[in-house]
Every structure is written in structure tokens, then in C-alpha cells.
Amino acid sequence: MKVSFAFLYYTGFEMKKQEGSMRWRKKWWQSSVVYQVYPRSFADSNGDGMGDIPGITGKIKYLKELGVDVLWICPVYQSPQDDNGYDISDYRAIYPEFGTMQDMEELITKCQDNGIKIIMDLVVNHTSDEHPWFIEAKKSTENPYRDYYIWRKGKDGQPPNDLKSNFGGSAWEYSPETGEYYLHFYSKKQPDLNWENPKLRQEIYDMMNWWLDQGIAGFRMDVIDLIGKIPDQKIKENGPMLHSYLQEMNEATFGSRDSMTVGECWGATPEIGRMYTDPKRKELSMIFQFEQIQLDKKAGGQRWDLKPLDLPDLKRVFSKWQTELEGHGWNSLFWNNHDLPRIVSRWGNDGAYRVLSAKMLATLLHGMKGTPYIYQGEEIGMTNVPFRTIEEFPDIETQNIYKERLKAGFTKEETMHAIRAKARDNARTPMQWNSTENAGFTEGIPWYRVNPNYTKINVEQARKDPDSIFYHYQKLISLRKENDIMVYGTYYLLFPEDEDLYIYTRTLGTEQWLIVCNFHEKTRTFRCKQSGQVLLSNYKDTPALDKMTELRPYEAVIYRMERKDVSREVHAQDHSSDFEFDIELE
Ligand code: TEU
Ligand code: CA
């Protein structure tokens, strides 16, 4: 039986007919898979060592083969590159080393021809200090652009208050022209915009519409949860006006178009997640929340204060988001981005079990409900860098934090240990295309060193090997295209306290899937009386469900349950049905 989802919505663990309104129409971005491109490290087309837009265009065929629907392109705008493009000096121009506006138009058109949509990175919490608005604003307190930014008088020769920049040090910088301080939550070359100013907001909306008119499908919104800040009350994230601004933005820009938007929200809880993503509130399609990403730092500490990941914690956090957004919003699913270390090094095993653990992590993530994101290189299991010294980590965040941690009394050794584990540069080495010099990324000298393991880990090798991580991702993407249950099925967690196994179900209509992942290297006994067919596994010889006796290191399987009575609908938490799981673990 095929159910029409246009007329259904999901609440808690059941599915209900919604009378009258059609609140949950299917959206194209719900069944999409997004691929994140970090342009400077993706592909260099002209041998200057810097990845560029024509380089991306040249790889459309590859992306098409992988099967992704959407590209998120990290900032390619005009920028002094103090923070690799997250410091924009002209929103309507391209940074010359990345190409021209014409190159961008060509990328958009060629992607459209191949059924791939593009979302741009929208960085509107701050600009570069070299943006004409800021150059004007700093000139005098009377300047018409003054109120585009946030200025305060100092206190006894000191900054207005003790707000800190996320990149270390004070969030206030003294500006000698007027003797006042301006606010910057990132580097001092990234002054924060003043969203309280309606003129500024209108400028941003005009710029967004201009980009939408170029044919892009939407935006990834950089640190969008900061735009409602109230610096005098030291409110950074989730300020009181945040959601009003987003509703206003939605109405003024993408709301009337068939767009997709994703907000970067480090400070979101599921309750806040629903505010952003419940369609009736008309804000965003989805957000990136970072709760699971922060499970390997000590409570109250910075992300440099390391602690091992506890699997039950990961299950608790993922499951909370899966359950609390069910019927009230939409999740994004990601392990990686340009700010995070490589997942296979972080929570998998980048040694002997690199391939198995990378596939397990992919299965676990793509099996959940939401829109999955793949960060460039994740699909071939790229790893963290083996670099040793601070000079080998050029990122401004790392450079600042290094100095700050040493000043705070940490030793060089412990600081470098944390940096190796967590530095953003782990994700920023050039994409590994083949085993020729510089991994086929450039014919010149790459702007940043290639990870020396490129001779073994690269796209060419992955495409030759039918058992590669690449083909596992490809299968996960095609499973999603062929099975509504993978997109719309309700999630339900089993065995929340087990330390090694992550087991959950997805349920839709009369169908149910069981996803079983061994998160560790230890082999575990696993028996289930039910029968179920293997849809995908990272081992070649994984048996049918009722023949399963043990889960091997990092084994990950998607089973389709065989039903006794296929005419009856099943509910995710239905323990009285023929779906009662009779699983024995040891
Ligand atoms: O990142 C937001 C952010 O808060 C990061 O500083 C994050 O805390 C850190 O990188 C990793 O924990 C966004 C962009 O993704 C990042 O690349 C930019 O540097 C930052 O905003 C400023 O625009
Ligand atoms: Ca180039």
C-alpha cells in the first residue's frame, strides 16, 4: 500500500490524518543529499595552488556519480581572506582567485543542467572590516553607515564589557578615528553588523534576492543565531528578536520561492530547533545543531578540553532531536564540515578499520530522519592531518587559541594534542583526487599541504574499488531515492544504554527498517528471531536477520523487516504487533 504523504503529518510516534490543512507537503530538500564544497581546497583549475569555481564545475560529473542533489558552496565572495572568506568585503563580487561572476553563472547553469541545486553561504552576522560599509562607518559617529555596526564607548580606558570573541580575546576593538570600540564576535577584521538597524536589514535582503535571481536555490546561514545579540546585556546567541528577524527575512526574500535554507545554530536546543523549522512559523527549512558535536569536550570547557565520546550520550542526543522535531520541524544530519575534524579520525578508526568504520558512521547518520550533508572528502574517508607543529596549522582560530591557551598556563604538549584532535585545518587540506603529486588537486604548489596519505586515500582509487567508502555513500543515496521510509519514516531508538551498539528502527505505513551499527571494534553477540532482509551492509557476508549471531567490528546493517501481516499499518513504538523486537544482546 502506498500512502500519500501530502495529507499526512507525524506526531510523536504515530501518523495521523490532518483534516483541512496540508501542513506537511513533501519538500524537495527533505529527500535531498547535500554536498559541502570548500572551494579553496576542492579543485584547482589553473595551477595557482588555490581551488576555484571552474575547478568545482569540472567535478560536476563526479558529484553526479555520487548522487548528491545540492551543493553548499562555502564563501567565494570578495574578501581579504582573514578567515578564509568568512570576512566579506563585497557580497556581489567573487574573490578573483576563485574566479569571476561569469564562472559562478556557469557553475549554476551547468549544475542546473545536471539536476543539482546550489546554496550559497550567507555570512551576515558580520562583514570584513574592508567592506565599504565599515570603511565609512569607522570614519565618524555621524557617518550614515555608522549604525550598520555596533559601537560603544570604553570604560576607564578599557573595553565596554568583558564579552569574548569566539576566536580568543576581547570581542571589542578600539577604533582610533572616533575613540570608540566596535564589536566582533570573530576576528577583529570581522566587525559584527547591527541587525537592529532596519536599513541594514533591507540591504541584506536586497543582496539575498540578487543572489536568488542568479538562480541559486537557497542559503546556508553562518552563525545566524547571533544576529539578535544584545551586547550590553551580554546576550550573544538566541536574542529576543532573532526569530522576528528571520520571519521578516523569509517574507522579504526566499519565502516566496521554492528554496532551501539551513541555519548554523551552535546554541540551539530542540525547542529552539522547532522555532526555526516548524513550517507554520515561516523561518528556515532546517538548522545545523551542534549538541552531538560537543559530546567529546569536558562539561563547561572549550572544545579544546578533550574527553572521550560515550556512545549512550550520542544516542541520547541524536534521539532527542529525532523525536522532538518529529512532526514539528526537520533535522539536518552531519558529522563533518569545514570547522570540524574528520569523523573517521574522531569517532571511527582511521587505522586498520578505516573503511569499515567510515561506512558504519555513514550508515548510522544517513539511516536517521533528516537531510544528510556530506563534507568533501568524507565520501572517500579522508582523515585528520598528521602534522605536528603549530606552524602547520594556519587557521586564524587555531593560531589565536594556541597563544591564548599557553598564556592561560596549558603546556605546549597538551595544547598541540588538542589542536591535532580538533583543529579546523584537519578538514581543510586539499581534496585527494588521485595518487599523482599533490593528489591531483593542483598542478602548482597547493595553498595548504596535502595529507600525505593521498597515495592510498583518493577518489581514483575509491572509484576503482567496488568495496570502497565512495560506493557505500552512493548506495546510501540511492536507497534514499528509492525508499520513502528513509526520508519520512519515524525514528525509534532501541537499547539506549548499550555501550557499543547503536540500534534503531524507521517506520512508515506498513514498512519497518532496522538499522544496527556496531560503533566499536569489539565483536558482540546479537540474535533476533524476526526475519529481515539485508538492504545494505559494510560486510559482504552479513546474514539475514534471523541468521545473525554476532556483530563484527564496526559492522553496520540496514534490514528491511519481513512482515507477517502486510495489510496492517505499523507504528514505531508498537510492542504488541508482529514488530516486537526479540533481540538478544550479550
Ligand atoms: O563558524 C561558527 C563558529 O562559531 C566557529 O567559530 C566554531 O565555533 C569553530 O569554528 C569550531 O568550533 C562559522 C563558520 O563556519 C566558520 O568557518 C567561521 O570562521 C565563523 O562562522 C565566522 O564566520
Ligand atoms: Ca586556482
Side-chain angles (χ1 to χ4, degrees), residues 179-194:
E180 290 186 359
Y181 290 79
Y182 65 86
L183 182 77
H184 64 91
F185 280 150
Y186 291 89
S187 97
K188 60 182 180 209
K189 285 185 67 62
Q190 293 168 297
D192 275 50
L193 286 166
N194 176 21

Side-chain angles (χ1 to χ4, degrees), residues 83 86 123 126 166-167 186 190 220 222-223 264 266 303 338-340 397 424 428:
D83 183 20
Y86 283 91
V123 189
H126 45 266
N166 290 345
F167 285 168
Y186 291 89
Q190 293 168 297
R220 174 267 184 185
D222 193 62
V223 290
E264 187 201 23
W266 280 80
R303 70 196 177 101
H338 64 294
D339 293 333
L340 303 173
E397 179 187 41
R424 309 198 293 184
R428 299 180 179 186

Side-chain angles (χ1 to χ4, degrees), residues 26 34 51 57 62 135 255 304-305 315 317 323 395 401 452 484 493 535 537 563 571:
K26 275 187 185 178
V34 185
T57 310
Y62 168 72
I135 294 174
W304 313 100
D305 299 305
K315 292 193 251 188
V317 168
T323 306
D395 174 30
I401 292 294
D484 267 353
L493 179 70
L535 293 179
S537 171
R563 306 272 325 269
H571 292 174

Side-chain angles (χ1 to χ4, degrees), residues 404-447:
E404 192 169 279
R405 303 274 294 186
L406 292 195
K407 229 191 271 165
F410 292 93
T411 67
K412 263 191 189 167
E413 287 64 41
E414 56 193 338
T415 305
M416 281 316 296
H417 177 69
I419 285 175
R420 280 185 215 109
K422 289 284 182 75
R424 309 198 293 184
D425 284 324
N426 281 303
R428 299 180 179 186
T429 56
M431 179 70 182
Q432 294 164 206
W433 294 103
N434 58 43
S435 59
T436 66
E437 208 186 344
N438 294 318
F441 161 72
T442 179
E443 285 174 1
I445 300 160
W447 75 272

Side-chain angles (χ1 to χ4, degrees), residues 265-391:
C265 305
W266 280 80
T269 60
E271 198 182 357
I272 296 171
R274 288 200 297 253
M275 293 178 74
Y276 286 111
T277 69
D278 189 331
K280 70 170 190 277
R281 292 176 50 88
K282 296 197 166 53
E283 296 186 19
L284 306 179
S285 313
M286 66 191 105
I287 61 163
F288 295 129
Q289 60 83 15
F290 291 85
E291 218 181 319
Q292 69 274 4
I293 289 303
Q294 302 183 67
L295 291 173
D296 58 3
K297 77 173 176 87
K298 286 186 189 141
Q302 289 184 305
R303 70 196 177 101
W304 313 100
D305 299 305
L306 312 180
K307 140 185 178 322
L309 174 75
D310 191 23
L311 185 62
D313 277 349
L314 184 70
K315 292 193 251 188
R316 179 179 48 76
V317 168
F318 269 142
S319 304
K320 180 174 74 180
W321 280 86
Q322 290 281 302
T323 306
E324 294 197 23
L325 261 51
E326 178 74 54
H328 301 281
W330 191 256
N331 274 296
S332 70
L333 305 167
F334 70 99
W335 288 126
N336 274 113
N337 66 31
H338 64 294
D339 293 333
L340 303 173
R342 294 283 180 181
I343 196 62
V344 68
S345 300
R346 187 179 192 176
W347 292 341
N349 176 323
D350 63 9
Y353 292 110
R354 185 183 65 89
V355 172
L356 280 171
S357 67
K359 291 178 183 175
M360 179 277 291
L361 289 161
T363 308
L364 201 171
L365 192 77
H366 286 234
M368 289 191 284
K369 184 167 182 172
T371 300
Y373 288 70
I374 301 170
Y375 177 65
Q376 66 184 44
E378 179 184 336
E379 76 280 17
I380 55 167
M382 278 177 64
T383 68
N384 278 359
V385 296
F387 306 157
R388 312 303 305 168
T389 66
I390 185 64
E391 291 74 32

Side-chain angles (χ1 to χ4, degrees), residues 32-59:
S32 292
V33 176
V34 185
Y35 188 92
Q36 183 192 350
V37 175
Y38 196 63
R40 62 164 55 219
S41 300
F42 192 59
D44 175 21
S45 70
N46 60 356
D48 66 355
M50 180 74 90
D52 45 49
I53 295 167
I56 307 172
T57 310
K59 298 296 182 187

